[in-house]
């Protein structure tokens, strides 16, 4: 049994000195060792390490905790090393989580990854929200990374002219300290394969956590991170409320598309079609998946 089931009302903040399973009150130390079990004195194996919680290796990268479930995964610091050159400037470990929304998604997790990374659909699904400020036709994708992808979404030429004239555009929160001038000219989408996504602007990071549950079902948590100095602004509460609403709006536009894509994938009429050059992230993602399948077959 999960000893910390989310339905059990554990506090999201605070401290504890041990874990107690809510079912039969078996108690575990913070190191995972079983410390006690009611009415089990006659069973010496209760004291054995083998009855402790399972151990997994973890690592912190840019403030995010990654868990190595297979035990033999390449360290994330190596897998995502190529992301440091650009995304590293955001110093995400220093940012604050200010909004968090959970979503139940009736589609495969790979549908969402493809949707998140490709900007072609700005001209369709987001034709009023994103296309005027980040036109699809200006977007481009970095060279292939073995475990990650980077897609650049430059602001419109008109907005870029204003930024270059010293008028930063689309900033609602405090700009992230230490960014380059060029970082104010685009938004950027990142995939840390397979299931971590970031959508990044000069004043914010949207972080998507994907949890696949079944072939056609998953959950996402979308989290907004900003610089802590943003809270000093007089209008901060209203700004935050507006931006959370915006975050919900553009994600809903994508949710509708992803649900319809899942329907299409299940159709007997489904056949693969050509990709637009603006969908290069999808091509790269398919190549990543092919590599994973090939390696699994060879292992
Ligand atoms: Fe989208």
């Amino acid at each position: 049994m999960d000893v910390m089931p989310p339905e059990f009302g554990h506090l999201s903040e605070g401290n504890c000195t041990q874990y107690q399973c809510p079912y039969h009150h078996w108690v575990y130390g913070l190191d995972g060792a079983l410390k006690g079990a009611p009415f089990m004195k006659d069973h010496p194996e209760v004291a054995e390490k083998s009855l402790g919680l399972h151990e997994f290796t973890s690592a912190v990268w840019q403030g995010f905790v990654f868990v190595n479930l297979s035990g033999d995964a390449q360290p994330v610091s190596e897998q995502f090393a190529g992301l440091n050159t650009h995304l590293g400037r955001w110093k995400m470990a220093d940012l604050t989580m200010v909004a968090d929304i959970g979503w139940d998604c009736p589609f495969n997790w790979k549908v969402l990854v493809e949707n998140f990374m490709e900007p072609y659909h700005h001209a369709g699904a987001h034709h009023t929200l994103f296309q005027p400020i980040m036109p699809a036709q200006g977007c481009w994708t970095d060279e292939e990374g073995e475990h990650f992808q980077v897609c650049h979404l430059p602001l419109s030429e008109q907005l870029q002219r204003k930024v270059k004239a010293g008028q930063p555009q689309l900033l609602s929160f405090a700009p992230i300290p230490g960014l380059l001038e060029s970082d104010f000219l685009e938004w950027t989408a990142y995939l840390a394969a397979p299931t971590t996504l970031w959508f990044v602007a000069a004043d914010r990071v949207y972080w998507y956590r994907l949890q696949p549950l079944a072939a056609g079902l998953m959950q996402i948590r979308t989290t907004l991170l900003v610089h802590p100095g943003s809270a000093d602004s007089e209008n901060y509460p209203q700004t935050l409320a507006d931006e959370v609403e915006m975050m919900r709006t553009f994600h809903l536009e994508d949710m509708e598309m992803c649900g319809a894509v899942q329907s299409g994938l299940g159709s007997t009429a489904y056949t693969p079609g050509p990709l637009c050059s603006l969908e290069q992230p999808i091509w790269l993602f398919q190549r990543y998946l092919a590599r994973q399948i090939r390696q699994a077959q060879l292992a």
Side-chain angles (χ1 to χ4, degrees):
M1 169 167 174
D2 180 353
V3 299
M4 292 188 69
E7 300 80 12
F8 196 65
H10 292 287
L11 297 175
S12 58
E13 292 180 19
N15 295 292
C16 68
T17 56
Q18 60 188 27
Y19 300 108
Q20 184 185 58
C21 177
Y23 204 2
H24 300 101
H25 284 192
W26 286 30
V27 173
Y28 304 87
L30 295 183
D31 62 354
L34 179 62
K35 290 171 68 177
F39 314 123
M40 294 286 281
K41 285 199 173 63
D42 296 340
H43 294 266
E45 67 269 30
V46 164
E48 289 175 12
K49 201 167 186 276
S50 62
L51 287 175
L53 300 177
H54 288 282
E55 285 185 31
F56 297 99
T57 307
S58 63
V60 177
W61 183 83
Q62 298 284 357
F64 296 87
V65 181
F66 288 84
V67 180
N68 183 345
L69 295 175
S70 71
D72 59 1
Q74 185 186 2
V76 285
S77 58
E78 294 174 13
Q79 289 190 42
F80 305 146
L83 289 176
N84 286 323
T85 46
H86 187 267
L87 188 56
R89 290 198 290 278
W90 269 253
K91 298 186 183 69
M92 293 192 287
D94 297 339
L95 304 184
T96 308
M97 295 191 287
V98 293
D100 194 40
I101 309 174
W103 308 79
D104 293 318
C105 306
F107 43 80
N108 185 276
W109 66 276
K110 298 187 289 296
V111 172
L112 190 279
V113 171
E114 294 184 352
N115 162 268
F116 186 97
M117 289 305 297
E118 64 89 351
Y120 185 33
H121 72 284
H122 282 200
H126 304 305
H127 68 279
T128 53
L129 212 54
F130 284 156
Q131 180 64 9
I133 55 174
M134 283 176 267
Q137 60 274 26
C139 299
W140 55 283
T141 303
D142 274 1
E143 281 182 31
E144 186 165 32
E146 191 179 351
H147 296 281
F148 62 87
Q149 280 182 32
V150 186
C151 184
H152 301 267
L153 295 80
L155 302 188
S156 69
E157 285 181 16
Q158 187 186 19
L159 291 177
Q160 287 202 36
R161 270 198 299 277
K162 289 184 179 172
V163 175
K164 288 171 184 167
Q167 303 163 27
Q169 297 293 305
L170 307 178
L171 299 184
S172 297
F173 303 107
I176 311 287
L179 295 185
L180 305 179
E181 195 181 302
S182 57
D183 295 331
F184 289 78
L185 297 174
E186 68 169 43
W187 287 38
T188 317
Y190 295 91
L191 164 64
T195 53
T196 304
L197 297 155
W198 296 284
F199 190 32
V200 165
D203 67 338
R204 74 193 71 183
V205 172
Y206 296 107
W207 168 34
Y208 280 37
R209 274 171 279 181
L210 276 54
Q211 180 65 57
L213 298 175
L217 191 66
M218 69 158 176
Q219 288 176 326
I220 317 177
R221 291 205 75 80
T222 57
T223 303
L224 174 61
L225 299 99
V226 302
H227 188 265
S230 303
D232 298 338
S233 159
E234 204 176 299
N235 299 325
Y236 176 69
Q238 188 58 49
T239 301
L240 178 59
D242 291 347
E243 288 298 336
V244 170
E245 193 51 39
M246 172 63 78
M247 170 179 163
R248 197 184 299 275
T249 301
F250 79 71
H251 187 63
L252 272 175
E253 290 185 347
D254 286 315
M255 292 276 282
E256 290 172 355
M257 300 304 131
C258 290
V261 168
Q262 183 70 45
S263 298
L265 290 171
S267 164
T268 54
Y270 167 71
T271 45
L275 294 172
C276 174
S277 61
L278 295 170
E279 292 176 293
Q280 187 174 344
I282 293 182
W283 178 66
L284 294 176
F285 185 52
Q286 302 277 336
R287 284 167 58 85
Y288 165 80
L289 294 172
R291 280 197 301 277
Q292 299 304 308
I293 292 167
R294 202 158 49 237
Q295 284 166 13
Q297 286 171 337
L298 291 173

